[in-house]
């Protein structure tokens, strides 16, 4: 079977079991976080042990299908990241734990303000394209502020492990489909540009409404997505077909590039 540019409907554990080993260059996962979100088919509410056991099953499959030069990014809540790190440290090399500053709904006594983005590689030989941005250090996400940053003479710098200028999509009008937790395009753009090259295969086993696949296509990577909800699968396929209409939501590719980014765009 050809695994390139496919969006598959099914349970990602079952689907990945049918994949041969060592085929994926970059895996990104944004799984349900056990927060009782409404994803239609999947019930996002489990006891802690079952949830962790479930995550380890799909993580094992991802590890198996990653190429020896492959990378994994796992986006999750800090409380799950601790468990995932202990597990992944047995099989992969930990590169960074990125804090994504993405203000959330108040819960508990201290306001949760970040997600954890775990970055692992399968070996010491892996792709990393150093991306530099001007806008890593300020918080304002309004179009005016973004434009000011992009046209200002601020010094460009490589990413740090705190990402505070990529903002969660909070308003329905900014969503590219009807889905409660879709990610911003610019968030995926950073990951895909940094950790893959043109024509590489990018896997997302919890594809939602296709953000990873759309950005992969725009950046000329190949995508392989899995999603359990057939409605989201349909949405994703439609969105990928129309990927060019989302190009303006990327932040890095149309800017003058500090390094020779054009060689891998
Ligand atoms: C947090 S959302 C991903 C959103 C995605 N990053 C986007 O931007 O659209 C998690 C997705 O995983 C899907 N899902 C849950 N369990 C799954 C499973 N076992 N296999 C595949 N997909 C699953 C849900 O339907 C949901 O769309």
């Amino acid at each position: 079977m050809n695994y390139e540019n496919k969006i598959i409907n099914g349970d990602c554990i079952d689907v990945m079991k049918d994949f041969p080993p060592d085929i994926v260059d970059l895996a990104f996962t944004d799984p349900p976080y056990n927060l009782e979100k409404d994803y239609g088919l999947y019930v996002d509410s489990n006891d802690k042990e079952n949830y962790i056991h479930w995550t380890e099953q799909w993580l094992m499959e991802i590890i198996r299908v990653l190429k020896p030069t492959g990378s994994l990014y796992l986006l999750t809540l800090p409380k799950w990241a601790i468990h995932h790190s202990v597990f992944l440290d047995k099989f992969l090399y930990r590169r960074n734990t990125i804090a994504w500053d993405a203000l959330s709904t108040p819960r508990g006594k201290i306001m949760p303000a970040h997600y954890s983005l775990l970055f692992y590689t399968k070996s010491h030989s892996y792709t990393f394209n150093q991306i530099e941005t001007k806008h890593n250090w300020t918080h304002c996400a309004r179009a005016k502020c973004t434009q000011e940053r992009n046209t200002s003479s601020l010094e460009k710098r490589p990413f740090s492990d705190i990402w505070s200028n990529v903002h969660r999509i909070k308003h329905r009008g900014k969503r590219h489909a009807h889905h409660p937790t879709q990610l911003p395009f610019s968030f995926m753009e950073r990951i895909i540009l940094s950790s893959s090259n043109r024509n590489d295969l990018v896997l997302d086993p919890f594809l939602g409404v296709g953000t990873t696949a759309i950005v992969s296509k725009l950046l000329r990577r190949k995508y392989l997505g899995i999603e359990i909800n057939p409605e989201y699968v349909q949405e994703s396929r439609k969105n990928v077909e129309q990927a060019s209409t989302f190009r303006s939501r990327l932040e890095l590719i149309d800017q003058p590039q500090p390094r020779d980014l054009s060689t891998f765009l």
Side-chain angles (χ1 to χ4, degrees):
M1 180 176 166
N2 180 359
Y3 298 96
E4 295 173 356
N5 299 331
K6 293 271 177 337
I7 294 176
I8 301 170
N9 183 206
D11 180 313
C12 64
I13 300 172
D14 298 338
V15 172
M16 285 191 286
K17 278 194 193 323
D18 287 337
F19 293 170
D22 304 341
I23 58 166
V24 168
D25 295 285
L26 167 63
F28 169 79
T29 78
D30 173 26
Y33 305 146
N34 218 22
L35 282 178
E36 302 176 4
K37 294 272 179 196
D38 181 8
Y39 293 119
L41 279 187
Y42 173 81
V43 179
D44 187 28
S45 164
N46 225 317
D47 66 48
K48 184 179 159 189
E49 276 67 35
N50 281 343
Y51 179 75
I52 292 168
H53 177 67
W54 174 71
T55 60
E56 291 178 358
Q57 289 177 60
W58 49 258
L59 281 171
M60 274 322 287
E61 287 307 316
I62 293 177
I63 293 165
R64 189 181 65 78
V65 301
L66 264 190
K67 283 184 185 170
T69 49
S71 300
L72 163 66
Y73 285 75
L74 165 55
L75 180 66
T76 188
L77 302 179
K79 72 170 183 179
W80 300 131
I82 294 164
H83 295 281
H84 297 328
S85 299
V86 171
F87 181 74
L88 288 172
D89 282 350
K90 295 182 208 157
F91 305 101
L92 302 175
Y93 294 95
R94 183 158 17 149
R95 297 291 161 198
N96 293 93
T97 302
I98 295 162
W100 181 27
D101 176 355
L103 211 58
S104 186
T105 321
R107 271 173 191 252
K109 291 201 165 56
I110 297 180
M111 174 86 145
H114 77 280
Y115 291 79
S116 297
L117 179 63
L118 303 177
F119 170 28
Y120 278 86
T121 63
K122 204 166 184 178
S123 71
H124 291 304
S125 164
Y126 62 97
T127 295
F128 195 81
N129 303 305
Q130 186 75 71
I131 308 296
E132 294 181 337
T133 66
K134 287 180 183 177
H135 43 102
N136 211 20
W137 314 102
T138 51
H139 287 256
C140 174
R142 271 173 270 147
K144 186 168 166 275
C145 300
T146 309
Q147 185 163 12
E148 263 169 26
R149 277 194 294 270
N150 288 344
T151 53
S152 76
S153 57
L154 275 176
E155 193 190 336
K156 290 183 179 173
R157 301 189 200 192
F159 297 146
S160 75
D161 60 5
I162 300 180
W163 291 7
S164 51
N165 65 318
V166 184
H167 295 262
R168 281 190 334 132
I169 304 174
K170 293 198 186 124
H171 303 292
R172 276 171 193 243
K174 301 260 179 195
R175 291 185 179 161
H176 60 273
H178 184 63
H179 188 283
T181 60
Q182 63 196 264
L183 290 172
F185 291 97
S186 52
F187 179 85
M188 289 315 306
E189 183 185 20
R190 269 183 200 198
I191 295 170
I192 294 172
L193 277 182
S194 299
S195 286
S196 68
N197 292 311
R198 198 187 274 195
N199 290 323
D200 278 358
L201 183 61
V202 180
L203 167 70
D204 186 338
F206 298 97
L207 189 66
V209 278
T211 316
T212 304
I214 296 165
V215 178
S216 298
K217 184 175 175 186
L218 286 169
L219 299 176
R220 300 192 215 162
R221 275 64 170 168
K222 291 166 183 148
Y223 56 85
L224 174 56
I226 309 166
E227 170 54 55
I228 203 163
N229 186 327
E231 284 174 25
Y232 296 156
V233 169
Q234 263 190 347
E235 271 288 342
S236 297
R237 289 183 181 145
K238 188 185 86 197
N239 290 332
V240 169
E241 279 292 305
Q242 301 167 352
S244 58
T245 59
F246 301 112
R247 193 184 156 89
S248 62
R249 305 228 202 146
L250 297 184
E251 288 187 354
L252 298 169
I253 58 173
D254 287 329
Q255 291 178 33
Q257 296 304 327
R259 302 254 171 97
D260 192 10
L261 201 59
S262 58
T263 56
F264 56 89
L265 282 180

